Amino acid sequence: MAAPVEVCHVACCANRAGGGVVSWGSGGLLAFGSCRDVVLYEPTLVKSIPLKGHTDAICAVDAVYQSDEPDLNLLIASAASDSTVRIWSRHGSEAKCIEILQFGNGFVMDVCLSFLPGSNVPILACGGDDCKISLFIQQNDQVRVGEVGGNTLGFFDCQFSPDGSMIVAHAFHGALHLWKQATVNKKEWTPEVVISGHFNSVEDVKWDPEGEFIISVGSDQTTRLFAPWKRKQETEVTWHEIARPQVHGYDMRCLAMIGRFQFVSGADEKVLRVFRAPKNFIENFSNIAGIPMEKLCSHLMKSLLRIGDMAVQPAEDEETFNTISNQYPEIYFQPLILTGPVFSCCAYTDKNTAVHSRIIWSCDWTPDSKYFITGSRDKKVIIWGQCDLSVTTEGNTLGSIKPCSTVLDAGDSVTAVSISRALTPDGRYIVAVGLENGKIILYTWKQSGQEPAPADWTTCVEMDDSQSHALAVKRLCWRHHVGRAGHNDQNSSEWLQLASCGADHCVKIFSVNRLAL
């Protein structure tokens, strides 16, 4: 039987720190610091030789050996706040500066030395505050890679791959940029797909109604959309960030899907905004995810019909809404209000009936709406409901709603709970619990009688440190349509998928083996 839980996607980015937060090892593994996740290394110190010449603080240095005998020839590059990069050569105990590269009023933040593929010709990469990477080789041939506009805060760091055929750069907001050298024209470097994610705490994550993509919001003031990329002639499907529907001026806190390509987001400014995808995004999504436009448009029309039942804000508030809607193109943003029945309280707890003793941070319904689960800072998880379903109540359920489960002690403050729509083969609910320490634990629960019993709860999987988050879990969300191959029948599929987000800046997707729980 397959392992109960597999990590199938992690979205994250590098810390906003200086040179050294990203490293490309000689074995080909790229490592970078992300929130509290770090890479440890052991620097070797040898006898020091002072290299004098810079007139201001040195911010970056790199070196390569030019022969198999390390004491014979060492090439060193250093960058400093004096707007220069100096090239040094060391032979034995003798060292001298062989060239000075001037950058005017610019500032080089990192340097990296390597060799042209298949040769012993040194090549130097300089990452600057002008959003450009400058490449120098010993014969003075130079190449620039980077973006035109958009990345105005420049790069913190850059690294060559071990074979010198790729360059990775680390931008101010944590984003990684990757370029690959063309096979035919060695002077041509093309951008490549690279991992991406939020650069601050991820506060909420939701699956779209059809389970084809997820949207997340974070305190980095962005909303991001992740979807699977089905490439031609490739059997493996990989997940990538394909859009940022909202780049905001306030920290984002929550979102809700209101249709296939519509969502509502909330931020610290205490305003809700409604977004709808334009046609060109749906076309691009169709190409990336391999879903026919006919299928997407049919779901889109159903969503628009549902939105048509909502009433537009009355004219007297038009001026207020205009100040908000002018910030976004009309095709993306549409102010709406919901109309419908007025809600009334049907059940509640008070000082005499409360079970939780601290703030309740998360809650969710079972798929059949029979039970309601709560998770609290007091480390407790409780399932509520009308435990004796044979008792009929005429409109008033206040007296019949009570805890239907024993109190589950999760071991730490519970910050997120979510119940899957699919059941285990023996008919048990699958409950995901996220903790303040970053742990994610999977339980199953089934009511065994009219009174709660300890045997109701079963601990199935406690994810290890490599799978869990490094900081508090902010949200858990099960995929509605499940299966790694896109199966739609939840209770006949072997695999479920669970999305999570945390204060460690990460969005993760887990494949969960339902039959192994």
Side-chain angles (χ1 to χ4, degrees), residues 112-168:
C112 184
L113 281 166
S114 185
F115 295 94
L116 291 177
S119 73
N120 59 356
V121 178
I123 180 171
L124 170 67
C126 301
D129 63 345
D130 59 353
C131 310
K132 298 173 184 176
I133 296 177
S134 299
L135 298 182
F136 301 88
I137 60 174
Q138 206 166 38
Q139 291 82 6
N140 296 324
D141 179 26
Q142 180 175 330
V143 178
R144 285 184 175 179
V145 294
E147 297 177 344
V148 179
N151 195 22
T152 55
L153 295 177
F155 295 107
F156 264 137
D157 198 7
C158 62
Q159 293 278 315
F160 273 105
S161 63
D163 61 2
S165 64
M166 290 188 288
I167 305 170
V168 66

Side-chain angles (χ1 to χ4, degrees), residues 96-354:
K96 62 179 180 178
C97 179
I98 60 175
E99 188 167 355
I100 301 175
L101 303 177
Q102 300 284 349
F103 286 83
N105 295 324
F107 182 71
V108 174
M109 305 183 73
D110 202 7
V111 293
C112 184
L113 281 166
S114 185
F115 295 94
L116 291 177
S119 73
N120 59 356
V121 178
I123 180 171
L124 170 67
C126 301
D129 63 345
D130 59 353
C131 310
K132 298 173 184 176
I133 296 177
S134 299
L135 298 182
F136 301 88
I137 60 174
Q138 206 166 38
Q139 291 82 6
N140 296 324
D141 179 26
Q142 180 175 330
V143 178
R144 285 184 175 179
V145 294
E147 297 177 344
V148 179
N151 195 22
T152 55
L153 295 177
F155 295 107
F156 264 137
D157 198 7
C158 62
Q159 293 278 315
F160 273 105
S161 63
D163 61 2
S165 64
M166 290 188 288
I167 305 170
V168 66
H170 163 221
F172 178 78
H173 282 144
L176 296 177
H177 300 257
L178 183 67
W179 296 272
K180 185 176 182 180
Q181 189 178 36
T183 305
V184 179
N185 184 2
K186 300 298 183 180
K187 294 183 179 180
E188 182 180 344
W189 294 75
T190 57
E192 297 289 320
V193 177
V194 70
I195 188 174
S196 63
H198 292 271
F199 61 86
N200 212 331
S201 175
V202 188
E203 298 295 320
D204 204 353
V205 62
K206 289 292 188 297
W207 288 93
D208 92 287
E210 296 299 316
E212 299 290 354
F213 59 86
I214 59 175
I215 296 183
S216 60
V217 297
S219 52
D220 61 356
Q221 304 183 352
T222 66
T223 300
R224 302 182 187 230
L225 190 150
F226 300 90
W229 183 14
K230 298 180 180 178
R231 284 170 275 194
K232 295 181 180 179
Q233 301 176 344
E234 292 283 344
T235 57
E236 183 179 2
V237 176
T238 57
W239 285 76
H240 301 274
E241 178 186 339
I242 66 170
R244 296 184 188 177
Q246 185 181 12
V247 179
H248 203 46
Y250 290 85
D251 290 1
M252 309 299 298
R253 295 299 176 190
C254 58
L255 81 155
M257 299 295 298
I258 59 172
R260 184 66 203 278
F261 291 104
Q262 297 87 27
F263 70 91
V264 181
S265 65
D268 278 352
E269 62 175 331
K270 305 177 181 65
V271 174
L272 295 176
R273 285 182 163 83
V274 183
F275 291 85
R276 183 178 64 198
K279 182 179 179 181
N280 67 328
F281 168 80
I282 299 176
E283 293 173 345
N284 291 334
F285 176 77
S286 173
N287 294 330
I288 294 172
I291 303 174
M293 276 292 293
E294 295 77 13
K295 179 182 177 182
L296 296 178
C297 289
S298 64
H299 288 294
L300 180 61
M301 289 305 298
K302 293 177 182 178
S303 298
L304 291 178
L305 289 174
R306 286 194 293 269
I307 288 183
D309 295 334
M310 302 177 186
V312 179
Q313 187 72 10
E316 57 267 21
D317 291 335
E318 183 177 356
E319 183 177 353
T320 303
F321 272 97
N322 281 342
T323 61
I324 302 172
S325 59
N326 287 340
Q327 300 176 32
Y328 300 95
E330 184 178 354
I331 195 168
Y332 288 99
F333 174 74
Q334 181 179 2
L336 302 169
I337 61 171
L338 300 177
T339 59
V342 177
F343 290 91
S344 60
C345 180
C346 65
Y348 60 88
T349 59
D350 53 27
K351 292 182 179 180
N352 298 321
T353 58

Side-chain angles (χ1 to χ4, degrees), residues 42 62 69 74-75 79 119 136 151 247 255 263 285 317 319 348 359 397 414 431 440 446 480 485 487 498 500:
E42 295 182 0
D62 196 22
E69 300 182 27
L74 179 67
L75 194 65
S119 73
F136 301 88
N151 195 22
V247 179
L255 81 155
F263 70 91
F285 176 77
D317 291 335
E319 183 177 353
Y348 60 88
I359 184 173
T397 59
V414 178
V431 182
I440 298 175
K446 185 177 183 179
H480 294 175
H487 303 299
L498 173 69
S500 69

